[in-house]
Amino acid sequence: MKSTIHGNRKNNFRGLNKKAIILVLAILAFVNVFAQKQQAFEVKVIGKGQPIILIPGYSCGGEVWNETVDHLKGNYELHVLTIAGFAGAKPIEDEEILKTVRNQIIQYVKEEKLKKPMLIGHSLGAFMTLWLNSTEPDMFGKSICVDGVPFVSAIGNPQATVESLKANPQFDKQAAIKNFQAIPNEGYVKNMTRAMLNQVSDSIHAKKIAEWSFNSDRKTLGSTIIEMSLTDLRQDISKIKVPTLVLASLFGNKETSEKVYNEQYALLKNKTIKVADSKHFIMYDQPEWFYNEIDTFLKTK
């Protein structure tokens, strides 16, 4: 009897041990999946029709497209993104945040079964538009790049390379993060509003952009600006198949803008480049011109 009890206890112990191991493995698997499933962007879906994904620029929230959404929502299904860590959106822990954003947008298109969604991106969002199209040349429809380029670090210096920039302490990611984290909260919005008046003409929009920046995660700001600065898509855009409308702001004058953008987009085949009489936020500074250009482009077969 004693040996039977001992045997039962031993078997019970083994059973419990197996259950404990299975439970631990299940927890670890859940944690691993959860870690992998960090959301690289928030999304709001508005309207019905052919899908368009709208990607905002650096530090901006999806609200930067509010007026554009009002203009388009009667004819299109608009998927308006806010990138993780920007404008109050929850940040993610990642060494390559923008690459993760790119990959998750591609996954989002697959999961939502979006058929040839068009892309509209501003600034960093334009860069992301080019990255998406060069990574998945057959996935997306027509695309619009609003004042963004394939390699921002080469503006004014077409000979710049990623390798040459990496030797410059200015492009050290950890240093950039520390610099952003060191900016005091007091006076942030006021000072940023003043700076943003170089990017947009009116003070109301300048303040809103400054508030998005203030509400952004400082680590994300430092990490993403360096990641974009050290990613050169000038060769990759040769893979893009879809028609692409590039809307540029003024770099001093129209001739300079045309020169810079033609250099940056030299290898993009099916493109139209137009220069607005505008600062960086074209959709704010020249809305009627902007809407006319995107309407004409989107409706042309």
Side-chain angles (χ1 to χ4, degrees):
M1 179 70 70
K2 204 169 185 180
S3 62
T4 304
I5 293 171
H6 178 74
N8 287 339
R9 283 179 178 172
K10 196 171 182 180
N11 289 334
N12 287 339
F13 177 76
R14 284 175 179 166
L16 288 170
N17 202 28
K18 285 180 181 176
K19 287 179 181 177
I21 290 169
I22 291 168
L23 180 61
V24 168
L25 289 173
I27 291 170
L28 288 173
F30 173 79
V31 170
N32 188 43
V33 168
F34 181 78
Q36 291 174 356
K37 287 286 185 181
Q38 290 186 98
Q39 292 302 308
F41 57 86
E42 296 177 354
V43 60
K44 290 184 179 179
V45 182
I46 301 145
K48 291 184 178 180
Q50 187 176 359
I52 301 177
I53 299 172
L54 295 103
I55 311 172
Y58 178 72
S59 83
C60 291
E63 294 172 63
V64 75
W65 296 116
N66 277 1
E67 293 86 347
T68 306
V69 165
D70 286 341
H71 179 77
L72 294 173
K73 65 184 179 183
N75 298 307
Y76 302 97
E77 180 182 88
L78 307 170
H79 298 249
V80 186
L81 309 189
T82 298
I83 291 174
F86 289 167
K90 185 179 179 180
I92 60 172
E93 289 296 326
D94 203 305
E95 285 300 309
E96 295 180 297
I97 294 170
L98 297 181
K99 185 176 281 187
T100 299
V101 172
R102 181 201 68 179
N103 293 343
Q104 285 199 19
I105 291 174
I106 290 168
Q107 189 62 32
Y108 176 79
V109 171
K110 291 176 180 176
E111 288 176 356
E112 296 299 316
K113 296 181 171 58
L114 301 182
K115 187 176 180 182
K116 290 280 187 180
M118 297 183 286
L119 297 169
I120 303 178
H122 174 246
S123 192
L124 182 151
F127 166 85
M128 189 63 65
T129 293
L130 296 171
W131 209 1
L132 287 162
N133 273 320
S134 57
T135 304
E136 292 284 351
D138 297 312
M139 177 173 282
F140 301 95
K142 289 181 175 181
S143 294
I144 301 175
C145 294
V146 184
D147 215 33
V149 294
F151 190 34
V152 67
S153 299
I155 292 178
N157 180 19
Q159 306 307 314
T161 66
V162 171
E163 289 308 311
S164 68
L165 295 172
K166 282 181 177 178
N168 187 336
Q170 181 182 343
F171 291 92
D172 180 78
K173 184 188 287 187
Q174 294 308 315
I177 291 170
K178 286 180 182 177
N179 287 339
F180 274 101
Q181 291 173 333
I183 300 173
N185 289 337
E186 187 177 352
Y188 188 108
V189 171
K190 183 179 179 180
N191 293 331
M192 186 61 74
T193 299
R194 192 180 301 120
M196 283 300 105
L197 286 169
N198 293 314
Q199 306 290 321
V200 67
S201 292
D202 72 279
S203 57
I204 294 173
H205 282 125
K207 186 180 179 186
K208 185 63 182 175
I209 298 161
E211 288 170 347
W212 285 326
S213 179
F214 178 75
N215 290 323
S216 295
D217 173 63
R218 303 292 182 85
K219 184 176 180 181
T220 301
L221 290 177
S223 182
T224 53
I225 195 67
I226 298 302
E227 187 180 353
M228 182 172 68
S229 298
L230 295 179
T231 304
D232 184 356
L233 301 177
R234 288 176 297 180
Q235 298 292 323
D236 292 352
I237 61 175
S238 65
K239 302 172 189 173
I240 296 175
K241 299 176 181 179
V242 298
T244 304
L245 174 64
V246 180
L247 302 178
S249 67
L250 286 178
F251 287 8
N253 56 58
K254 186 176 180 180
E255 291 70 27
T256 303
S257 294
E258 287 175 344
K259 181 177 183 295
V260 168
Y261 273 77
N262 278 299
E263 286 172 351
Q264 286 270 338
Y265 283 89
L267 297 183
L268 180 60
K269 302 174 190 74
N270 194 355
K271 65 179 180 286
T272 302
I273 297 176
K274 296 200 173 185
V275 180
D277 183 14
S278 172
K279 294 180 181 179
H280 183 51
F281 285 80
I282 299 171
M283 58 282 211
Y284 286 159
D285 277 8
Q286 295 290 344
E288 295 308 316
W289 181 90
F290 176 73
Y291 299 146
N292 182 63
E293 292 297 336
I294 64 173
D295 286 348
T296 302
F297 177 73
L298 293 176
K299 290 174 183 175
T300 302
K301 292 185 179 179

PDB file of all heavy atoms in Angstrom, residues 17-44:
ATOM      1  N   ASN A  17       4.142  18.678 -12.583  1.00  0.00           N
ATOM      2  CA  ASN A  17       5.357  19.265 -13.149  1.00  0.00           C
ATOM      3  C   ASN A  17       5.171  19.568 -14.638  1.00  0.00           C
ATOM      4  O   ASN A  17       5.553  20.615 -15.138  1.00  0.00           O
ATOM      5  CB  ASN A  17       6.525  18.313 -12.937  1.00  0.00           C
ATOM      6  CG  ASN A  17       7.857  19.048 -13.010  1.00  0.00           C
ATOM      7  OD1 ASN A  17       7.920  20.227 -12.706  1.00  0.00           O
ATOM      8  ND2 ASN A  17       8.888  18.342 -13.402  1.00  0.00           N
ATOM      9  N   LYS A  18       4.554  18.592 -15.354  1.00  0.00           N
ATOM     10  CA  LYS A  18       4.294  18.782 -16.781  1.00  0.00           C
ATOM     11  C   LYS A  18       3.342  19.953 -17.007  1.00  0.00           C
ATOM     12  O   LYS A  18       3.532  20.776 -17.903  1.00  0.00           O
ATOM     13  CB  LYS A  18       3.699  17.511 -17.389  1.00  0.00           C
ATOM     14  CG  LYS A  18       4.715  16.387 -17.595  1.00  0.00           C
ATOM     15  CD  LYS A  18       4.047  15.170 -18.189  1.00  0.00           C
ATOM     16  CE  LYS A  18       5.055  14.029 -18.368  1.00  0.00           C
ATOM     17  NZ  LYS A  18       4.400  12.808 -18.867  1.00  0.00           N
ATOM     18  N   LYS A  19       2.299  20.017 -16.160  1.00  0.00           N
ATOM     19  CA  LYS A  19       1.329  21.110 -16.279  1.00  0.00           C
ATOM     20  C   LYS A  19       1.992  22.470 -16.037  1.00  0.00           C
ATOM     21  O   LYS A  19       1.711  23.443 -16.715  1.00  0.00           O
ATOM     22  CB  LYS A  19       0.172  20.912 -15.300  1.00  0.00           C
ATOM     23  CG  LYS A  19      -0.783  19.790 -15.703  1.00  0.00           C
ATOM     24  CD  LYS A  19      -1.891  19.638 -14.683  1.00  0.00           C
ATOM     25  CE  LYS A  19      -2.824  18.504 -15.079  1.00  0.00           C
ATOM     26  NZ  LYS A  19      -3.887  18.289 -14.063  1.00  0.00           N
ATOM     27  N   ALA A  20       2.893  22.475 -15.026  1.00  0.00           N
ATOM     28  CA  ALA A  20       3.602  23.718 -14.712  1.00  0.00           C
ATOM     29  C   ALA A  20       4.478  24.161 -15.886  1.00  0.00           C
ATOM     30  O   ALA A  20       4.510  25.341 -16.254  1.00  0.00           O
ATOM     31  CB  ALA A  20       4.459  23.548 -13.459  1.00  0.00           C
ATOM     32  N   ILE A  21       5.161  23.185 -16.494  1.00  0.00           N
ATOM     33  CA  ILE A  21       6.027  23.489 -17.640  1.00  0.00           C
ATOM     34  C   ILE A  21       5.196  24.008 -18.809  1.00  0.00           C
ATOM     35  O   ILE A  21       5.544  24.998 -19.453  1.00  0.00           O
ATOM     36  CB  ILE A  21       6.825  22.242 -18.062  1.00  0.00           C
ATOM     37  CG1 ILE A  21       7.876  21.910 -16.989  1.00  0.00           C
ATOM     38  CG2 ILE A  21       7.518  22.463 -19.412  1.00  0.00           C
ATOM     39  CD1 ILE A  21       8.540  20.569 -17.171  1.00  0.00           C
ATOM     40  N   ILE A  22       4.051  23.333 -19.059  1.00  0.00           N
ATOM     41  CA  ILE A  22       3.166  23.765 -20.148  1.00  0.00           C
ATOM     42  C   ILE A  22       2.656  25.173 -19.896  1.00  0.00           C
ATOM     43  O   ILE A  22       2.607  26.015 -20.798  1.00  0.00           O
ATOM     44  CB  ILE A  22       1.983  22.778 -20.299  1.00  0.00           C
ATOM     45  CG1 ILE A  22       2.498  21.438 -20.843  1.00  0.00           C
ATOM     46  CG2 ILE A  22       0.906  23.346 -21.217  1.00  0.00           C
ATOM     47  CD1 ILE A  22       1.478  20.314 -20.765  1.00  0.00           C
ATOM     48  N   LEU A  23       2.285  25.464 -18.617  1.00  0.00           N
ATOM     49  CA  LEU A  23       1.792  26.793 -18.259  1.00  0.00           C
ATOM     50  C   LEU A  23       2.856  27.854 -18.482  1.00  0.00           C
ATOM     51  O   LEU A  23       2.589  28.918 -19.057  1.00  0.00           O
ATOM     52  CB  LEU A  23       1.328  26.803 -16.797  1.00  0.00           C
ATOM     53  CG  LEU A  23       0.785  28.137 -16.262  1.00  0.00           C
ATOM     54  CD1 LEU A  23      -0.443  28.564 -17.060  1.00  0.00           C
ATOM     55  CD2 LEU A  23       0.454  28.029 -14.782  1.00  0.00           C
ATOM     56  N   VAL A  24       4.081  27.556 -18.037  1.00  0.00           N
ATOM     57  CA  VAL A  24       5.196  28.502 -18.206  1.00  0.00           C
ATOM     58  C   VAL A  24       5.450  28.760 -19.692  1.00  0.00           C
ATOM     59  O   VAL A  24       5.617  29.905 -20.123  1.00  0.00           O
ATOM     60  CB  VAL A  24       6.479  27.973 -17.527  1.00  0.00           C
ATOM     61  CG1 VAL A  24       7.687  28.807 -17.945  1.00  0.00           C
ATOM     62  CG2 VAL A  24       6.321  27.999 -16.013  1.00  0.00           C
ATOM     63  N   LEU A  25       5.446  27.686 -20.492  1.00  0.00           N
ATOM     64  CA  LEU A  25       5.667  27.827 -21.938  1.00  0.00           C
ATOM     65  C   LEU A  25       4.566  28.657 -22.583  1.00  0.00           C
ATOM     66  O   LEU A  25       4.826  29.487 -23.465  1.00  0.00           O
ATOM     67  CB  LEU A  25       5.745  26.450 -22.603  1.00  0.00           C
ATOM     68  CG  LEU A  25       7.002  25.623 -22.297  1.00  0.00           C
ATOM     69  CD1 LEU A  25       6.871  24.222 -22.881  1.00  0.00           C
ATOM     70  CD2 LEU A  25       8.262  26.307 -22.833  1.00  0.00           C
ATOM     71  N   ALA A  26       3.322  28.431 -22.110  1.00  0.00           N
ATOM     72  CA  ALA A  26       2.192  29.189 -22.653  1.00  0.00           C
ATOM     73  C   ALA A  26       2.329  30.679 -22.333  1.00  0.00           C
ATOM     74  O   ALA A  26       2.084  31.543 -23.175  1.00  0.00           O
ATOM     75  CB  ALA A  26       0.874  28.652 -22.092  1.00  0.00           C
ATOM     76  N   ILE A  27       2.752  30.968 -21.092  1.00  0.00           N
ATOM     77  CA  ILE A  27       2.942  32.363 -20.679  1.00  0.00           C
ATOM     78  C   ILE A  27       4.050  33.017 -21.494  1.00  0.00           C
ATOM     79  O   ILE A  27       3.915  34.143 -21.977  1.00  0.00           O
ATOM     80  CB  ILE A  27       3.248  32.442 -19.168  1.00  0.00           C
ATOM     81  CG1 ILE A  27       1.998  32.066 -18.355  1.00  0.00           C
ATOM     82  CG2 ILE A  27       3.718  33.853 -18.789  1.00  0.00           C
ATOM     83  CD1 ILE A  27       2.257  31.875 -16.879  1.00  0.00           C
ATOM     84  N   LEU A  28       5.162  32.275 -21.643  1.00  0.00           N
ATOM     85  CA  LEU A  28       6.283  32.805 -22.429  1.00  0.00           C
ATOM     86  C   LEU A  28       5.875  33.060 -23.869  1.00  0.00           C
ATOM     87  O   LEU A  28       6.262  34.061 -24.477  1.00  0.00           O
ATOM     88  CB  LEU A  28       7.465  31.832 -22.384  1.00  0.00           C
ATOM     89  CG  LEU A  28       8.218  31.750 -21.047  1.00  0.00           C
ATOM     90  CD1 LEU A  28       9.253  30.635 -21.103  1.00  0.00           C
ATOM     91  CD2 LEU A  28       8.886  33.088 -20.712  1.00  0.00           C
ATOM     92  N   ALA A  29       5.072  32.134 -24.427  1.00  0.00           N
ATOM     93  CA  ALA A  29       4.597  32.297 -25.810  1.00  0.00           C
ATOM     94  C   ALA A  29       3.711  33.526 -25.918  1.00  0.00           C
ATOM     95  O   ALA A  29       3.815  34.313 -26.864  1.00  0.00           O
ATOM     96  CB  ALA A  29       3.831  31.057 -26.257  1.00  0.00           C
ATOM     97  N   PHE A  30       2.836  33.728 -24.918  1.00  0.00           N
ATOM     98  CA  PHE A  30       1.951  34.897 -24.913  1.00  0.00           C
ATOM     99  C   PHE A  30       2.755  36.182 -24.843  1.00  0.00           C
ATOM    100  O   PHE A  30       2.506  37.133 -25.589  1.00  0.00           O
ATOM    101  CB  PHE A  30       0.990  34.816 -23.719  1.00  0.00           C
ATOM    102  CG  PHE A  30       0.153  36.061 -23.556  1.00  0.00           C
ATOM    103  CD1 PHE A  30      -0.965  36.264 -24.367  1.00  0.00           C
ATOM    104  CD2 PHE A  30       0.492  37.024 -22.616  1.00  0.00           C
ATOM    105  CE1 PHE A  30      -1.731  37.414 -24.218  1.00  0.00           C
ATOM    106  CE2 PHE A  30      -0.265  38.171 -22.474  1.00  0.00           C
ATOM    107  CZ  PHE A  30      -1.385  38.363 -23.273  1.00  0.00           C
ATOM    108  N   VAL A  31       3.744  36.199 -23.937  1.00  0.00           N
ATOM    109  CA  VAL A  31       4.592  37.384 -23.783  1.00  0.00           C
ATOM    110  C   VAL A  31       5.335  37.673 -25.081  1.00  0.00           C
ATOM    111  O   VAL A  31       5.442  38.820 -25.523  1.00  0.00           O
ATOM    112  CB  VAL A  31       5.596  37.193 -22.617  1.00  0.00           C
ATOM    113  CG1 VAL A  31       6.631  38.313 -22.620  1.00  0.00           C
ATOM    114  CG2 VAL A  31       4.851  37.155 -21.287  1.00  0.00           C
ATOM    115  N   ASN A  32       5.831  36.607 -25.720  1.00  0.00           N
ATOM    116  CA  ASN A  32       6.572  36.771 -26.974  1.00  0.00           C
ATOM    117  C   ASN A  32       5.670  37.327 -28.072  1.00  0.00           C
ATOM    118  O   ASN A  32       6.039  38.250 -28.797  1.00  0.00           O
ATOM    119  CB  ASN A  32       7.157  35.432 -27.404  1.00  0.00           C
ATOM    120  CG  ASN A  32       8.101  35.580 -28.581  1.00  0.00           C
ATOM    121  OD1 ASN A  32       8.908  36.490 -28.609  1.00  0.00           O
ATOM    122  ND2 ASN A  32       7.990  34.683 -29.539  1.00  0.00           N
ATOM    123  N   VAL A  33       4.455  36.754 -28.175  1.00  0.00           N
ATOM    124  CA  VAL A  33       3.508  37.245 -29.184  1.00  0.00           C
ATOM    125  C   VAL A  33       3.132  38.689 -28.889  1.00  0.00           C
ATOM    126  O   VAL A  33       3.069  39.530 -29.783  1.00  0.00           O
ATOM    127  CB  VAL A  33       2.240  36.348 -29.216  1.00  0.00           C
ATOM    128  CG1 VAL A  33       1.143  37.010 -30.036  1.00  0.00           C
ATOM    129  CG2 VAL A  33       2.582  34.979 -29.787  1.00  0.00           C
ATOM    130  N   PHE A  34       2.889  38.992 -27.611  1.00  0.00           N
ATOM    131  CA  PHE A  34       2.511  40.353 -27.226  1.00  0.00           C
ATOM    132  C   PHE A  34       3.618  41.333 -27.587  1.00  0.00           C
ATOM    133  O   PHE A  34       3.362  42.414 -28.109  1.00  0.00           O
ATOM    134  CB  PHE A  34       2.227  40.408 -25.719  1.00  0.00           C
ATOM    135  CG  PHE A  34       1.805  41.782 -25.251  1.00  0.00           C
ATOM    136  CD1 PHE A  34       0.513  42.239 -25.465  1.00  0.00           C
ATOM    137  CD2 PHE A  34       2.710  42.613 -24.608  1.00  0.00           C
ATOM    138  CE1 PHE A  34       0.127  43.499 -25.043  1.00  0.00           C
ATOM    139  CE2 PHE A  34       2.336  43.869 -24.184  1.00  0.00           C
ATOM    140  CZ  PHE A  34       1.034  44.309 -24.401  1.00  0.00           C
ATOM    141  N   ALA A  35       4.858  40.921 -27.320  1.00  0.00           N
ATOM    142  CA  ALA A  35       5.999  41.789 -27.632  1.00  0.00           C
ATOM    143  C   ALA A  35       6.094  42.045 -29.127  1.00  0.00           C
ATOM    144  O   ALA A  35       6.382  43.140 -29.572  1.00  0.00           O
ATOM    145  CB  ALA A  35       7.290  41.156 -27.116  1.00  0.00           C
ATOM    146  N   GLN A  36       5.831  40.988 -29.917  1.00  0.00           N
ATOM    147  CA  GLN A  36       5.902  41.123 -31.364  1.00  0.00           C
ATOM    148  C   GLN A  36       4.740  41.932 -31.908  1.00  0.00           C
ATOM    149  O   GLN A  36       4.831  42.513 -32.985  1.00  0.00           O
ATOM    150  CB  GLN A  36       5.914  39.739 -32.012  1.00  0.00           C
ATOM    151  CG  GLN A  36       7.185  38.944 -31.753  1.00  0.00           C
ATOM    152  CD  GLN A  36       7.086  37.539 -32.300  1.00  0.00           C
ATOM    153  OE1 GLN A  36       6.051  37.126 -32.813  1.00  0.00           O
ATOM    154  NE2 GLN A  36       8.169  36.796 -32.178  1.00  0.00           N
ATOM    155  N   LYS A  37       3.631  41.961 -31.171  1.00  0.00           N
ATOM    156  CA  LYS A  37       2.420  42.609 -31.659  1.00  0.00           C
ATOM    157  C   LYS A  37       2.291  44.061 -31.194  1.00  0.00           C
ATOM    158  O   LYS A  37       1.205  44.622 -31.244  1.00  0.00           O
ATOM    159  CB  LYS A  37       1.192  41.817 -31.194  1.00  0.00           C
ATOM    160  CG  LYS A  37       1.004  40.498 -31.925  1.00  0.00           C
ATOM    161  CD  LYS A  37       0.506  40.725 -33.340  1.00  0.00           C
ATOM    162  CE  LYS A  37       0.195  39.400 -34.020  1.00  0.00           C
ATOM    163  NZ  LYS A  37      -0.274  39.600 -35.409  1.00  0.00           N
ATOM    164  N   GLN A  38       3.363  44.657 -30.712  1.00  0.00           N
ATOM    165  CA  GLN A  38       3.300  46.071 -30.377  1.00  0.00           C
ATOM    166  C   GLN A  38       2.803  46.832 -31.594  1.00  0.00           C
ATOM    167  O   GLN A  38       3.316  46.657 -32.696  1.00  0.00           O
ATOM    168  CB  GLN A  38       4.684  46.606 -29.999  1.00  0.00           C
ATOM    169  CG  GLN A  38       5.223  46.095 -28.688  1.00  0.00           C
ATOM    170  CD  GLN A  38       6.523  46.790 -28.351  1.00  0.00           C
ATOM    171  OE1 GLN A  38       6.551  47.735 -27.593  1.00  0.00           O
ATOM    172  NE2 GLN A  38       7.612  46.344 -28.945  1.00  0.00           N
ATOM    173  N   GLN A  39       1.817  47.662 -31.394  1.00  0.00           N
ATOM    174  CA  GLN A  39       1.211  48.355 -32.525  1.00  0.00           C
ATOM    175  C   GLN A  39       2.082  49.524 -32.954  1.00  0.00           C
ATOM    176  O   GLN A  39       2.309  50.457 -32.189  1.00  0.00           O
ATOM    177  CB  GLN A  39      -0.190  48.830 -32.167  1.00  0.00           C
ATOM    178  CG  GLN A  39      -1.189  47.701 -31.961  1.00  0.00           C
ATOM    179  CD  GLN A  39      -1.321  46.805 -33.188  1.00  0.00           C
ATOM    180  OE1 GLN A  39      -1.542  47.275 -34.294  1.00  0.00           O
ATOM    181  NE2 GLN A  39      -1.164  45.511 -32.997  1.00  0.00           N
ATOM    182  N   ALA A  40       2.567  49.457 -34.194  1.00  0.00           N
ATOM    183  CA  ALA A  40       3.468  50.481 -34.708  1.00  0.00           C
ATOM    184  C   ALA A  40       2.725  51.722 -35.193  1.00  0.00           C
ATOM    185  O   ALA A  40       3.362  52.717 -35.554  1.00  0.00           O
ATOM    186  CB  ALA A  40       4.315  49.913 -35.836  1.00  0.00           C
ATOM    187  N   PHE A  41       1.412  51.652 -35.209  1.00  0.00           N
ATOM    188  CA  PHE A  41       0.614  52.833 -35.571  1.00  0.00           C
ATOM    189  C   PHE A  41      -0.815  52.658 -35.083  1.00  0.00           C
ATOM    190  O   PHE A  41      -1.288  51.548 -34.871  1.00  0.00           O
ATOM    191  CB  PHE A  41       0.625  53.067 -37.090  1.00  0.00           C
ATOM    192  CG  PHE A  41       0.139  51.900 -37.906  1.00  0.00           C
ATOM    193  CD1 PHE A  41      -1.214  51.709 -38.169  1.00  0.00           C
ATOM    194  CD2 PHE A  41       1.047  50.982 -38.422  1.00  0.00           C
ATOM    195  CE1 PHE A  41      -1.658  50.626 -38.911  1.00  0.00           C
ATOM    196  CE2 PHE A  41       0.614  49.888 -39.171  1.00  0.00           C
ATOM    197  CZ  PHE A  41      -0.741  49.719 -39.421  1.00  0.00           C
ATOM    198  N   GLU A  42      -1.484  53.788 -34.892  1.00  0.00           N
ATOM    199  CA  GLU A  42      -2.922  53.800 -34.652  1.00  0.00           C
ATOM    200  C   GLU A  42      -3.597  54.116 -35.982  1.00  0.00           C
ATOM    201  O   GLU A  42      -2.999  54.754 -36.849  1.00  0.00           O
ATOM    202  CB  GLU A  42      -3.289  54.866 -33.607  1.00  0.00           C
ATOM    203  CG  GLU A  42      -2.702  54.598 -32.242  1.00  0.00           C
ATOM    204  CD  GLU A  42      -3.009  55.710 -31.238  1.00  0.00           C
ATOM    205  OE1 GLU A  42      -3.597  56.746 -31.652  1.00  0.00           O
ATOM    206  OE2 GLU A  42      -2.650  55.564 -30.059  1.00  0.00           O
ATOM    207  N   VAL A  43      -4.839  53.676 -36.132  1.00  0.00           N
ATOM    208  CA  VAL A  43      -5.522  53.919 -37.407  1.00  0.00           C
ATOM    209  C   VAL A  43      -6.993  54.253 -37.174  1.00  0.00           C
ATOM    210  O   VAL A  43      -7.643  53.689 -36.297  1.00  0.00           O
ATOM    211  CB  VAL A  43      -5.389  52.694 -38.346  1.00  0.00           C
ATOM    212  CG1 VAL A  43      -5.991  51.442 -37.742  1.00  0.00           C
ATOM    213  CG2 VAL A  43      -6.007  52.980 -39.712  1.00  0.00           C
ATOM    214  N   LYS A  44      -7.493  55.221 -37.931  1.00  0.00           N
ATOM    215  CA  LYS A  44      -8.918  55.548 -37.958  1.00  0.00           C
ATOM    216  C   LYS A  44      -9.395  55.392 -39.401  1.00  0.00           C
ATOM    217  O   LYS A  44      -8.731  55.844 -40.324  1.00  0.00           O
ATOM    218  CB  LYS A  44      -9.161  56.980 -37.482  1.00  0.00           C
ATOM    219  CG  LYS A  44      -8.903  57.182 -35.999  1.00  0.00           C
ATOM    220  CD  LYS A  44      -9.245  58.596 -35.578  1.00  0.00           C
ATOM    221  CE  LYS A  44      -8.998  58.782 -34.080  1.00  0.00           C
ATOM    222  NZ  LYS A  44      -9.304  60.174 -33.647  1.00  0.00           N
TER     223      LYS A  44
END
